[in-house]
Amino acid sequence: MDKPTRILIIGACGQIGTDLVVELRKIYGTTNVVASDIAEPKATLLDGPFENLNIMDSDRLYEIVKKYEITEIYHLAAILSAKGEQNPKMAWDINMTSLLSILDIAKEESIKVYWPSSIAVFGPNTPMDNTPQDTVMQPNTVYGISKLAGEMWCQYYHEKYGVDVRSIRYPGLISHGSLPGGGTTDYAVDIFYKAIEGNEYDCFLSEDTYLPMMYMSDAVRATIELMRAPAEKIKVRTSYNLAGMSFSPKEIYEEIKKHYPEFKIKYSPDFRQAIADSWPSSIDDSVAKEHWGWNEKFDLAAMTDDMLYQLKKKIK
Ligand code: NAD
């Protein structure tokens, strides 16, 4: 008989974890979804089990896995693109060591794993428009290098040891539940707060920098759909391209301005511009669509409507 699904989310207090825990608890039951993080738990995560975990401590990871009889791990703890460039060796160490210890425990205990990759695996020599699933990958950030190496490790553990590990290359994610954690696409969240607070927004990317983006509810749905798909449909064991929408700072500004006509923006590109310039402008996700039936729901206008509605409720 199959064991009941018991999930451990690592890095649960972050931008994705905050929303993903809530959705997983709705599906699997609160007590079957254990949230964990090195940070203090958020109030929204405390309706179910929470464990303090530094993912660099593999003994503690093992202890938690045993305690709750974990069958699936969602590994979200990472050092993101902009933060990684400030301390490259630390980013490499945390991103790689954590993935390898999770893959090892998954191999020993037959645990299913979700680990996100990123559009940062691509680089300046990658075709920028409609970037294909399989293409040139020469990332030039430590974050991108760690994600590309991570993808290869996932495929390796799947092929050599049969670990059921699944992955998505997320584009920039936009959400209202939690602030982003130091990525290059964070501007597309910050801009909403400034519009609602009635302040001018000083954007750290230039007005015509197109990047692939996705609304969090689509990203969470994609993650859960991928994890629930029958194993034979998952034919890519590195990571799946996923697209939602693609826009520039100027385009999101124009969209927000439809709701806040007085809203002003200026552009002061910083070191993050070079990172953004090395990433694709749009993504071809036809392989994910074909293999496990992915379909996005939110475009720029729908996402803007919902973000403003949700943030106004929260800020009031
Ligand atoms: P985040 O920075 O918001 O959250 C990461 C969480 O990990 C934080 O709560 C942090 O406290 C925790 N953490 C950091 N070090 C830890 C450690 N040593 N032990 C335990 N927990 C630790 O990140 P996010 O945006 O939620 O991203 C989650 C994953 O998705 C990452 O792998 C990231 O690379 C990937 N991703 C995110 C985006 C995005 O736009 N948010 C895009 C592409 C890929």
Side-chain angles (χ1 to χ4, degrees), residues 40 68 85 106 140 146 148 180 182-183 188 196 216 238 258 262 281 294 302 313:
E40 286 303 308
Y68 292 96
E85 291 311 285
N140 61 2
S146 74
L148 181 53
I196 288 174
M216 188 61 84
T238 49
K258 289 179 187 164
E262 305 296 317
S281 341
W294 162 245
K313 268 202 312 197

Side-chain angles (χ1 to χ4, degrees), residues 37-226:
D37 206 291
I38 197 172
E40 286 303 308
K42 293 180 165 182
T44 53
L45 300 182
L46 287 176
D47 61 331
F50 182 92
E51 293 283 343
N52 200 261
L53 169 67
N54 177 353
I55 190 53
M56 301 304 271
D57 182 350
S58 53
D59 291 341
R60 172 89 177 116
L61 170 66
Y62 197 77
E63 190 186 304
I64 296 171
V65 163
K66 285 287 174 201
K67 177 176 167 188
Y68 292 96
E69 299 178 4
I70 294 299
T71 59
E72 294 186 11
I73 294 179
Y74 287 66
H75 173 29
L76 307 176
I79 304 299
L80 272 57
S81 58
K83 266 198 197 160
E85 291 311 285
Q86 323 258 315
N87 197 340
K89 288 203 177 131
M90 185 215 23
W92 173 260
D93 192 26
I94 292 182
N95 292 357
M96 297 318 302
T97 308
S98 63
L99 175 61
L100 286 171
S101 55
I102 287 162
L103 289 172
D104 275 335
I105 202 167
K107 175 183 143 195
E108 282 165 33
E109 303 291 327
S110 302
I111 292 171
K112 191 167 168 181
V113 176
Y114 177 75
W115 170 81
S117 185
S118 158
I119 54 163
V121 290
F122 302 117
N125 300 327
T126 303
M128 294 282 172
D129 294 323
N130 227 13
T131 301
Q133 174 71 40
D134 293 310
T135 185
V136 178
M137 293 163 104
Q138 295 170 342
N140 61 2
T141 59
V142 68
Y143 175 69
I145 299 170
S146 74
K147 288 296 187 190
L148 181 53
E151 287 192 10
M152 302 320 294
W153 275 117
C154 288
Q155 181 173 261
Y156 185 89
Y157 270 71
H158 177 70
E159 285 177 0
K160 298 272 173 184
Y161 309 122
V163 174
D164 188 355
V165 48
R166 305 177 181 201
S167 177
I168 288 171
R169 292 174 185 147
Y170 290 132
L173 299 179
I174 298 163
S175 67
H176 52 83
S178 172
L179 288 171
T184 302
T185 51
D186 293 5
Y187 90 86
V189 177
D190 301 341
I191 192 168
F192 285 101
Y193 285 86
K194 289 288 182 297
I196 288 174
E197 288 159 1
N199 295 322
E200 182 179 22
Y201 183 55
D202 190 2
C203 184
F204 59 75
L205 297 181
S206 67
E207 62 178 349
D208 53 357
T209 307
Y210 278 85
L211 286 170
M213 300 278 190
M214 180 173 278
Y215 198 36
M216 188 61 84
S217 66
D218 270 350
V220 164
R221 187 171 52 82
T223 305
I224 296 174
E225 284 177 10
L226 174 72

